């Protein structure tokens, strides 16, 4: 198996990382979907605490290195993450995730192709044209996913009336809420698409004091997430005159959601190390939408009707084609003594 020169991981580990990231990113908001989270600020604090705890385990395994610059990536991600619960409540889990994944896909892929706009040399891809085609198809698939209409007007048992997206609340929502949800999803996607830039810059700089293994930056990244979350929560408490909305029922689901996200993000670090951003971002951005919509179809019953099922199937097939193109573009080995242009 081929190994990357920087991280030392075999290339297959990158694809395993992609698979884990897709599953856990597509599922990490499922636990909280069934519990009241209000404006999401308390939920984010609990989630980020779980993320930091998971990062602490990684830190112990990796040897206790700490790199403050990498914290900036965590701050960027946390800023986008505060929008997620309002997005889910306004436009649904499936559509919200797909929109911020689409934006994240574009931002992350462009970063990989340009090397953060010239700050470092991009990772070579043996078949760049096929990678571009796969990226384009991935974008199209995510746009197609957006046409799946999420019906959040679910009927719940009386004992579970604390579920989010209550029918009475939904009746009050209109076009303005949908527009706000879409704009928030795009903003979150920009943050998610750029949160790897600080640690990636450190890796690509090849300075002796900065390690080449992305896993060494996980704890620093997650520490930035926790500190930023605490800062936003304190601002929120000040704004509400020390009367924050706290929902005890969301603590365990929020902690579980944070652990699932941390596993996905850590897996993404491995994928970035071994496959490069031009491969990892399209794969990991396109995949969770399928998982999230399956949850919406099978568990939450948000997505119903023949039309929605056909759109979901079409978009899933497009995603499969995109994944195949991007994978082949990376795995292709040109004949010896043959060069290729990035």
């Amino acid at each position: 198996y081929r190994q990357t020169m920087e991280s030392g991981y075999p290339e297959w580990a990158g694809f395993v990382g992609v698979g884990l990231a897709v599953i856990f990113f597509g599922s990490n908001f499922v636990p909280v979907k069934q519990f009241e989270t209000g404006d999401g600020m308390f939920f984010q604090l609990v989630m980020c605490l779980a993320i930091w705890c998971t990062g602490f385990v990684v830190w112990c395994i990796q040897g206790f290195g700490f790199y403050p610059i990498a914290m900036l990536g965590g701050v960027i991600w946390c800023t986008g993450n505060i929008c997620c619960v309002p997005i889910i409540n306004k436009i649904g889990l499936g559509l919200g995730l797909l929109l911020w994944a689409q934006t994240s896909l574009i931002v992350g892929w462009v970063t990989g192709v340009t090397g953060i706009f010239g700050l470092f040399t991009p990772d070579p891809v043996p078949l760049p044209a096929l990678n571009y085609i796969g990226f384009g198809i991935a974008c199209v698939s995510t746009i197609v996913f957006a046409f799946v209409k999420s019906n959040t007007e679910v009927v719940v048992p009386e004992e579970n009336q604390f579920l989010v997206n209550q029918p009475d609340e939904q009746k009050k929502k209109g076009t303005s809420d949908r527009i706000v949800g879409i704009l928030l999803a795009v903003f979150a996607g920009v943050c998610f698409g750029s949160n790897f830039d600080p640690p990636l810059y450190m890796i690509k700089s090849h300075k002796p004091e900065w390690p080449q293994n992305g896993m060494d930056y996980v704890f620093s990244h997650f520490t930035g997430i926790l500190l930023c979350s605490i800062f936003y929560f304190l601002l929120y408490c000040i704004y509400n005159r020390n009367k924050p909305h706290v929902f005890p029922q969301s603590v365990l689901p929020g902690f579980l959601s944070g652990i699932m996200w941390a596993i996905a993000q850590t897996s993404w670090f491995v994928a970035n190390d071994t496959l490069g951003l031009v491969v990892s971002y399209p794969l990991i951005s396109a995949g969770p939408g399928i998982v999230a919509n399956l949850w919406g179809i099978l568990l939450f019953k948000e997505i119903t009707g023949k039309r929605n099922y056909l759109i979901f199937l079409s978009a899933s097939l497009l995603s499969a084609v995109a994944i195949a193109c991007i994978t082949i573009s990376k795995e292709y080995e040109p004949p010896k003594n043959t060069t290729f242009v990035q």
Side-chain angles (χ1 to χ4, degrees):
Y1 296 104
R2 288 178 290 178
Q3 292 186 337
T4 61
M5 294 178 62
E6 294 175 344
S7 69
Y9 292 120
E11 198 167 78
W12 61 261
F15 288 106
V16 172
V18 167
L20 290 174
V22 165
I23 293 172
F24 284 102
F25 277 139
S27 306
N28 77 291
F29 281 111
V30 171
V32 75
K33 181 67 177 176
Q34 299 186 22
F35 294 90
E36 178 61 73
T37 57
D39 49 29
M41 294 301 296
F42 176 71
F43 161 74
Q44 166 163 279
L45 183 64
V46 174
M47 180 180 175
C48 291
L49 180 60
I51 290 171
W52 186 86
C53 290
T54 307
F56 182 80
V57 174
V58 176
W59 184 55
C60 294
I61 295 173
Q62 291 298 116
F64 308 105
F66 192 81
Y67 309 94
I69 295 178
M71 294 171 60
L72 179 60
V75 172
I76 294 172
W77 177 87
C78 186
T79 301
N81 189 58
I82 63 174
C83 303
C84 287
V85 170
I87 290 170
I88 292 171
N89 286 336
K90 290 180 182 298
I91 59 177
L93 172 63
L95 179 57
L97 190 149
L98 287 165
L99 287 176
W100 74 58
Q102 168 79 1
T103 308
S104 175
L105 163 61
I106 295 173
V107 173
W109 185 84
V110 170
T111 297
V113 169
T114 62
I116 312 184
F117 302 99
L119 288 179
F120 62 82
T121 302
D123 294 324
V125 176
L127 294 176
L130 190 60
N131 184 270
Y132 299 156
I133 293 172
F135 166 75
I137 296 175
C139 289
V140 172
S141 71
T142 310
I143 293 173
V144 174
F145 268 125
F147 286 95
V148 176
K149 292 186 177 180
S150 176
N151 175 26
T152 55
E153 294 186 26
V154 292
V155 179
V156 295
E158 184 176 352
E159 64 272 16
N160 290 334
Q161 289 298 313
F162 51 79
L163 294 179
V164 296
N165 297 324
Q166 295 292 329
D168 290 340
E169 294 174 0
Q170 287 295 322
K171 292 178 182 179
K172 300 177 183 178
K173 297 182 179 181
T175 303
S176 61
D177 263 359
R178 184 174 177 84
I179 292 175
V180 170
I182 291 173
L183 291 177
L184 285 175
V186 172
F187 172 75
V190 172
C191 293
F192 297 153
S194 56
N195 80 98
F196 284 109
D197 289 358
L200 187 64
Y201 169 74
M202 296 174 73
I203 293 172
K204 297 295 185 179
S205 295
H206 297 284
K207 293 185 178 180
E209 65 270 26
W210 291 342
Q212 302 301 299
N213 188 338
M215 290 285 284
D216 291 323
Y217 298 98
V218 168
F219 181 66
S220 303
H221 187 80
F222 289 1
T223 298
I225 288 174
L226 178 61
L227 293 179
C228 186
S229 178
I230 293 173
F231 173 74
Y232 283 137
F233 189 76
L234 291 177
L235 289 181
Y236 165 73
C237 290
I238 294 172
Y239 178 80
N240 281 331
R241 299 180 180 180
N242 199 30
K243 295 180 180 180
H245 299 289
V246 176
F247 300 89
Q249 300 95 334
S250 68
V251 172
L252 287 180
F255 204 87
L256 177 59
S257 178
I259 291 175
M260 295 171 69
W261 184 91
I263 292 173
Q265 186 79 344
T266 302
S267 301
W268 201 340
F269 269 97
V270 175
N272 286 344
D273 273 357
T274 57
L275 305 177
L277 267 67
V278 293
V279 174
S280 66
Y281 255 99
L283 294 180
I284 296 176
S285 296
I290 298 176
V291 178
N293 273 278
L294 284 174
W295 284 115
I297 292 171
L298 300 176
L299 181 61
F300 299 119
K301 310 300 180 182
E302 289 182 335
I303 300 172
T304 57
K306 183 177 179 180
R307 175 186 176 276
N308 279 331
Y309 293 154
L310 288 176
I311 294 175
F312 170 73
L313 179 60
S314 300
S316 297
L317 290 175
L318 285 172
S319 294
V321 173
I323 290 171
C325 291
I326 295 167
T327 302
I328 294 172
S329 75
K330 179 66 175 179
E331 287 297 288
Y332 173 77
E333 295 188 17
K336 293 182 179 180
N337 302 323
T338 299
T339 58
F340 56 87
V341 179
Q342 174 64 28

